[in-house]
Amino acid sequence: MEECIKCNEGTMQDAVYICGSTHYEVVDLSGNVLKTFGKHDLPANDVEIGDSKTVKFCSCGIYFN
């Protein structure tokens, strides 16, 4: 695994940043939640719900595009 460019101590892994039905989260490639971010008030039929992008996630809690 790569070393984190921000904290220089954590390890980086491939992950996915996703817009869920009530909040944003980063999940690992198996779908396990790594970090949950703030809630949103998007309507259930909003086009952003389900959008995702591949990111790198550090064990220190930071993610990078």
Side-chain angles (χ1 to χ4, degrees):
M1 290 189 162
E2 299 173 48
E3 189 173 274
C4 180
I5 59 174
K6 185 75 171 179
C7 73
N8 296 317
E9 294 176 10
T11 53
M12 303 293 287
Q13 65 178 307
D14 292 327
V16 178
Y17 179 83
I18 190 165
C19 177
S21 59
T22 60
H23 54 275
Y24 300 96
E25 59 192 9
V26 174
V27 299
D28 67 15
L29 299 181
S30 298
N32 301 306
V33 176
L34 300 171
K35 186 168 185 174
T36 300
F37 296 91
K39 287 188 155 194
H40 60 66
D41 294 327
L42 297 172
N45 61 349
D46 191 286
V47 296
E48 188 176 345
I49 304 293
D51 279 358
S52 64
K53 65 180 175 180
T54 303
V55 296
K56 291 285 189 178
F57 182 79
C58 178
S59 56
C60 71
I62 297 172
Y63 74 93
F64 302 90
N65 293 328

